[in-house]
Amino acid sequence: MRVGLFVPCYVDQFYPGAAIATLQLLEKLGVDVVYPKNQTCCGQPMANSGYEHLTGGCNKLFIENFQGFDYIVSPSGSCVLHIREHLHDDKQPELAKEVAHQVWELTSFLTDVLKVESLPSRFPHKVGVHQSCHGQRGLHLSSMTELVAPGFSKPGSLLNMVKDLELVELDRKDECCGFGGTFCVVEEAVSSKMGKDRVADHLRQGAEYITGADMSCLMHMEGILKRQGSNVKVLHIAEILNSQ
Amino acid sequence: METTTTQDKNPPLQGAGGSHAELADIFNKDEDRVNWHDETLWWIRAKRDKSVHQLPEWEALREAASNIKFNVLSHLDIYLAQFEAAAKANGIIVHWAADAKEHNEIVHKLLTDAKVTQMVKSKSMLTEECHLNDYLATHGIEVIDSDLGERIVQLAGEPPSHIVLPCIHKKKEEIGDLFHMYLGTPSNMSDPQFLTETARGSLRETFLTRKVALTGVNFAIAETGEFVVCTNEGNADMGAHLADVHIACMGIEKIIPKREHLGVFLRLLTRSATGQPITTYSSHFKKPREGQEMHIVLVDNGRSIQLGREDFRNSLKCIRCGACMNTCPVYRRSGGHSYHTAVAGPIGSILAPNLDMKKYADLPFASTLCGSCSNVCPVKIDIHDQLYKWRQVLVKEGYTPKAKTVAMHVMATTLGSSTLYHAAGKMGRLTIKYAPFAVNNKLNPWYKNRDMPESPKESFGEWYAKNRKK
Amino acid sequence: MSSRDKILAAVAASKPEAKPLPDIEPFKHIGYTDVLAQYETVLTTIGGAVHRVNNWDEIRTIVSEKYNSQNVRVLSLVPELDDVATSAYEINPSAHQLADVELSIIKAHFGVAENGSVWVTEELLGHRAVPFICQHLAAVISASSIVDTMHRAYMRIGEAEYGWGAFIAGPSKTADIEQSLVLGAHGPRSMTVFILND
Ligand code: SF4
């Protein structure tokens, strides 16, 4: 199995640790991982701002870099959702579709493709999981509180395999953190308030770490935690699953 | 909490102007109030959850409702004609209004014909959309809103901030002040029981003396020509049954094919709205009462245009339950008035641009696209996908600020080229300038409440080149 | 062109391709194991009162214990209960003379277990305002009339002719002031349903 590692632009630039953990974790699980070095971005920042028509360059690059892999795996639910729903190329529509279908978010890849049932990791801390909306409601990584359906959580199940880790229960299990791409600056007041409220829920439950499958939401919450001078840290789920 | 000076703290936003972001910014100046607003609405969302989880068939019901509405949209002209014929046969007088202006004129004419200068009105978001009260006021006609929440905002000189809970933004102390000022209650009385009793007494007088009553319509049945009005207070019925003339106003999308379809919609509507199994009153008006005149005004006001927009026509499936507002994390923290349109929240943000793209260009951006709205919607409108699609339309039609367009082009160019991207990255991770969360980099609003991520010493790409030599 | 024709033409031009109606038959088979218990629980939860009674006498006792028809105006639309009422309903096209009614007693066609409502139509009421204008409302239904869900309710209504009809579920209420529930918004402050065993 040959897997292409898709590392979103902001993870590449600001959170290399999340990408390194993803790579090491997949390697540990016996996967042959390659990082195509000319990749950049999925195009979502422009698209969600209403400029999907400017994403041609990103689409082209993505297809060039990622065609031919068995799977493409990424530690970001949001970017994966964007590729799945919007990757297109008018010149080679079939190829674009094929590539789009091969993209997997890390926790669903571990759960549904690799069918991981145990992990050799240990993380002796209280952890709160942030359900990022695009991963949850878009990719169905977890059940959603709005729907009348059986409960499940792929990130939650994986974290439960980690030794000595204690998951905290949140008051609001799946409320948005307010990042929302450019929303975080265009609607600064509401975005910040949403972030504060989300962080407060984790703090109320005594979490030492906030984790999730999307670094962008974590970056937002980290910004708030740091501003508040909190000791609570954010970590991408790959970093916890990969910890010893 | 202290009761006075609420006026200065929370000025009425009607006509205040400003974009959603600006109005939301004002709303957020009072964090306690935001918390209170958020928690009140979240509580309603929780009641909704509790209620819908009692029905194992919930998702199937939503699917059925959605499909009935698809059928309606695809046969709307036929059902409208069928409804009109049946209603006429029932003795109801049917009027058609192409737009808000015509709607207001029709209602005005009916009032003039009845020789009255006063009317009692139960909740109708359509009349809010058409600004009927203002129109009638300029023609010397006084309208009294009979829904308690609507009466309260009417006294305050504000529009409703929520389609189901019109005064959800008001604290009881503020309502007590209003009642003190307008209804003569003692000052500092804010007990909801007492205030409701006062309104009951004052509105009973209104019901008994008004000759014309206007109501909204929740559902109209093509097959039978009847229409259904749902209230908890009984105000629509009190108005209609005591008046000589009953005027019911409805958007053309409120039609459903058959009576039995009410079984589906009435099960969904109130559970979604407040978690109740049904409203106290679900009134089926089929024929005028002996000696009464009954009018129906069918209003288009942009709906036929929306129906023609393939990407947005599904918004017409809306049954106005308000669930998308209650669940919306942005609505809960910005208040209904920040949407500066009659129907606030997620659904309002996909309806309003149809009427005026320029005026409402900000609304589809007042969302994180979290998708919770689409999940609670009882008729399964793809609300958050439509918000995304409106953004594309608004940009293409030129309704976004120039600076943003320039920034987006720069970003697209950078991210669309591996060379430029890596060069930008090497500049000491100054990409922060181009990073998605800092695009509108005027004074970088990010930094107001949030710290920047630390710049690591190398990017993942650089780390990989050193550590994985393949 | 009239607005009517303009609207219909615009709609015809804009509408999407025809979509079929869904099959709602399966919903009609959903039911409760104990319909009566469900009805009672729901009605109580939404602020109504329920009495299961075996005969009219029991209703008479309960009503007259609470309402002295000499002191307050009790209106009966149920011939069997005329003796606990101040008066039976007399035809009068104006409902305004009903403004002082303390209690209206009506019959309803049936109850709905899923939401605690009763279905009434105007022939049962004398005037449409009767169940709204009174301070308190009492309705009598037979135990065997209670249906499970709204789907069954509409099956039961079928093609019935009526000028006006309503589902009434509990007392008039509002929570418009800070979401505090207050019973007795504009209509009755209480609603009692008598379930007559048959
Ligand atoms: S869009 Fe859906 S959830 Fe929102 S008010 Fe309409 S029906 Fe309710």
Side-chain angles (χ1 to χ4, degrees), chain B residues 33 51 62 86 129 148 246 279 281 367 376 384 391 429:
Chain B
R33 194 183 193 94
S51 168
R62 290 175 70 220
E129 175 188 320
L148 178 60
H246 175 187
T279 44
Y281 305 105
S367 163
V376 293
H384 72 294
R391 293 179 183 186
R429 243 141 298 291

Side-chain angles (χ1 to χ4, degrees), chain B residues 163-164 269 272-273 314-315 317-325 343-344 346-348 350-351 373-374 376-381 383:
Chain B
I163 58 175
V164 175
L269 177 63
S272 299
N314 293 352
S315 60
K317 285 157 57 183
C318 175
I319 58 172
R320 302 287 192 272
C321 72
C324 57
M325 302 175 189
V343 178
I347 179 65
I350 59 175
L351 290 174
C373 47
S374 306
V376 293
C377 178
V379 286
K380 297 185 87 164
I381 301 174
I383 307 173

